[in-house]
Amino acid sequence: DYCFEALQVARENAEISQSKVNHVLADMTMRLPFASDSADAVFSLGTSFGLDSADERNASVFRFSFEVLRPNGIFVLDYVNSTPFRYPYQQYRECKLANGSLRMEEFRFYPETSSSVTKIILKRVHGEQSIFYHYVKHYSISQIVQMMEKSGLGVIKVFGNFKGERFDPQKS
């Protein structure tokens, strides 16, 4: 992850669930902290793509991922389809985390810049509170495929949701 606070929560949750996961603080728009041809897979999950307002920096996620992948390695991108958002959009949600913390999110989509900002408030059990903002520039599926192919990556399949259903630009 690129956000220290989010990484801390991930580490706490991994400890609670006794998961053996190596968490790395890194910005995927910069060279990844791994040697070339060293990874069997690279995952860009939870809107970790589109974090910059500059298209070139966002496209660098694909270039740097391709660089660290071994031949026949797999790149997985989890990305929000913003096609259904054609107007200013706002959403609010709360959820209780495994460690007892409360996470509140306010999401706003701005169609004129094809971007969104999510304000995240994390209230920990011990009374501490963290607030951070998550900016994402949104791209169409054709724009993403074009950036991936230019970086040397190919597309095997595009899914519409976590159930593996067919991608529908209006509903997925």
Side-chain angles (χ1 to χ4, degrees):
D1 204 307
Y2 73 101
C3 175
F4 180 77
E5 289 87 357
L7 198 60
Q8 277 303 110
V9 172
R11 286 179 176 146
E12 290 169 11
N13 289 337
E15 188 176 314
I16 289 168
S17 66
Q18 299 179 354
S19 299
K20 292 181 170 73
V21 178
N22 183 20
H23 297 90
V24 179
L25 183 64
D27 178 348
M28 290 185 77
T29 64
M30 304 173 117
R31 271 210 166 28
L32 297 174
F34 306 103
S36 294
D37 297 328
S38 64
D40 292 320
V42 174
F43 296 86
S44 178
L45 305 174
T47 60
S48 59
F49 173 74
L51 299 178
D52 201 286
S53 59
D55 295 336
E56 316 80 54
R57 285 196 33 103
N58 290 322
S60 67
V61 168
F62 301 123
R63 273 195 321 277
F64 295 139
S65 296
F66 180 75
E67 187 177 286
V68 301
L69 283 170
R70 290 186 176 117
N72 298 315
I74 303 254
F75 176 78
V76 176
L77 175 67
D78 167 29
Y79 191 67
V80 174
N81 174 27
S82 61
T83 303
F85 305 137
R86 291 197 175 93
Y87 51 88
Y89 177 79
Q90 186 172 341
Q91 178 184 18
Y92 178 82
R93 68 180 181 186
E94 287 185 12
C95 68
K96 193 103 169 177
L97 303 177
N99 64 5
S101 298
L102 179 64
R103 179 183 173 121
M104 297 171 286
E105 296 182 8
E106 182 182 332
F107 171 87
R108 291 178 185 232
F109 181 76
Y110 302 94
E112 63 278 2
T113 58
S114 224
S115 63
S116 65
V117 176
T118 304
K119 178 181 180 181
I120 301 167
I121 302 171
L122 186 62
K123 292 186 177 184
R124 291 185 167 49
V125 178
H126 314 321
E128 300 168 30
Q129 180 173 303
S130 299
I131 299 174
F132 48 103
Y133 295 85
H134 183 68
Y135 169 89
V136 176
K137 181 165 183 188
H138 296 268
Y139 295 92
S140 68
I141 187 70
S142 60
Q143 290 172 309
I144 291 172
V145 168
Q146 184 179 14
M147 283 189 260
M148 289 177 72
E149 289 175 345
K150 188 175 179 184
S151 299
L153 297 168
V155 176
I156 297 170
K157 180 134 183 164
V158 176
F159 296 100
N161 57 28
F162 292 111
K163 296 177 185 175
E165 295 172 351
R166 185 180 66 81
F167 176 76
D168 179 336
Q170 301 307 316
K171 297 178 183 175
S172 296

